[in-house]
Amino acid sequence: MIKPVSLILAALLMAVQFVHAEDFVAGKDYEVLASPVHTQNKNKVEVVELFWWGCGHCYTFETMFDGWKKKQGDTINVVKMPAMWNKTMKLHAQAFYTAKALGILDTINGPFFKALNVDRRRLNSESQIQEFFAKHGVDKSTFEKTFNSFGVTSQVNLAESRARSYRMQGTPEIVVEGKYRVSPGQAGSQARMLEITDFLIAKEQTARAAK
């Protein structure tokens, strides 16, 4: 008799977890958060990428992470979240959510990374960021209205609060399902971060399938 698809999927996920069970250890390869953080989509396992446009390691990780993300399809919910622990990073977070609100995040993301890491531009004031957006077709009035809007400010504050709850140590980092934090320091490399992320996703999907 042919097994239901859900049972086959669960078996496959359990097999993946078994293969990696001894490879990745909590407290050694990744951290288990003391208090889980709520996720945005209860129907899919959430993967949060914590980054900063001015972080050189994030710049090199971006292409790798994007390639990994494309392979996932729509099986998980990936959330890109700017980290912030100083004034400049908070301005960049405002720029991030401004671009998102205007529907041009995919257009802005790569050039902003390049401006900070390759061109060595500072972009540490609202006026400099406004000029940058202007080069990508956003007029000054639209930028200023959006950049200082309640919606953007709320998203910045929420991201800042969630990052504190994640107990983040630096960038880039990945948080899976609001429960597990994966960092390059513990993982050993950016490539291994993604391997551990795969393991944790399978772990969570297996737990869901078993319910």
Side-chain angles (χ1 to χ4, degrees):
M1 182 177 68
I2 299 176
K3 293 183 179 180
V5 174
S6 59
L7 292 179
I8 295 175
L9 175 61
L12 289 173
L13 292 173
M14 290 180 70
V16 171
Q17 184 176 356
F18 177 78
V19 169
H20 292 293
E22 294 184 358
D23 293 342
F24 306 126
V25 180
K28 176 185 177 183
D29 299 302
Y30 62 91
E31 289 297 323
V32 179
L33 300 180
S35 300
V37 181
H38 75 277
T39 59
Q40 298 180 20
N41 186 339
K42 298 299 181 183
N43 298 317
K44 296 180 180 180
V45 174
E46 180 182 270
V47 175
V48 176
E49 178 202 11
L50 293 161
F51 82 103
W52 173 40
W53 273 323
C55 163
H57 294 296
C58 297
Y59 180 57
T60 60
F61 186 55
E62 188 71 0
T63 300
M64 186 183 300
F65 186 82
D66 283 348
W68 173 87
K69 178 182 175 181
K70 289 177 182 177
K71 293 178 181 178
Q72 309 308 309
D74 62 353
T75 60
I76 60 174
N77 184 41
V78 178
V79 179
K80 193 176 186 68
M81 184 179 296
M84 58 196 97
W85 52 77
N86 60 43
K87 183 179 179 180
T88 296
M89 293 176 78
K90 195 160 188 176
L91 278 172
H92 291 168
Q94 276 184 267
F96 174 87
Y97 287 113
T98 295
K100 191 173 182 179
L102 294 174
I104 60 170
L105 183 57
D106 288 343
T107 301
I108 289 290
N109 186 59
F112 213 110
F113 258 126
K114 180 176 180 294
L116 294 173
N117 293 279
V118 178
D119 303 333
R120 300 300 178 185
R121 296 179 60 185
R122 296 175 66 84
L123 298 180
N124 60 356
S125 70
E126 182 176 338
S127 61
Q128 290 176 339
I129 294 173
Q130 183 271 312
E131 290 175 1
F132 181 87
F133 271 65
K135 292 180 179 180
H136 290 84
V138 181
D139 64 83
K140 184 176 181 180
S141 177
T142 299
F143 171 82
E144 291 178 344
K145 181 179 179 180
T146 309
F147 190 78
N148 296 295
S149 68
F150 174 77
V152 166
T153 299
S154 297
Q155 290 183 80
V156 169
N157 291 338
L158 178 60
E160 190 172 27
S161 175
R162 292 188 74 187
R164 285 197 297 269
S165 298
Y166 294 147
R167 307 296 187 203
M168 65 178 299
Q169 305 297 309
T171 53
E173 288 188 345
I174 293 174
V175 176
V176 178
E177 195 59 11
K179 297 179 181 180
Y180 315 103
R181 190 182 71 247
V182 185
S183 65
Q186 279 190 304
S189 70
Q190 293 182 348
R192 199 162 182 267
M193 282 178 67
L194 296 177
E195 291 177 11
I196 296 170
T197 299
D198 283 335
F199 161 71
L200 293 171
I201 291 171
K203 177 183 176 72
E204 284 300 304
Q205 290 178 331
T206 298
R208 289 184 178 214
K211 290 183 179 179

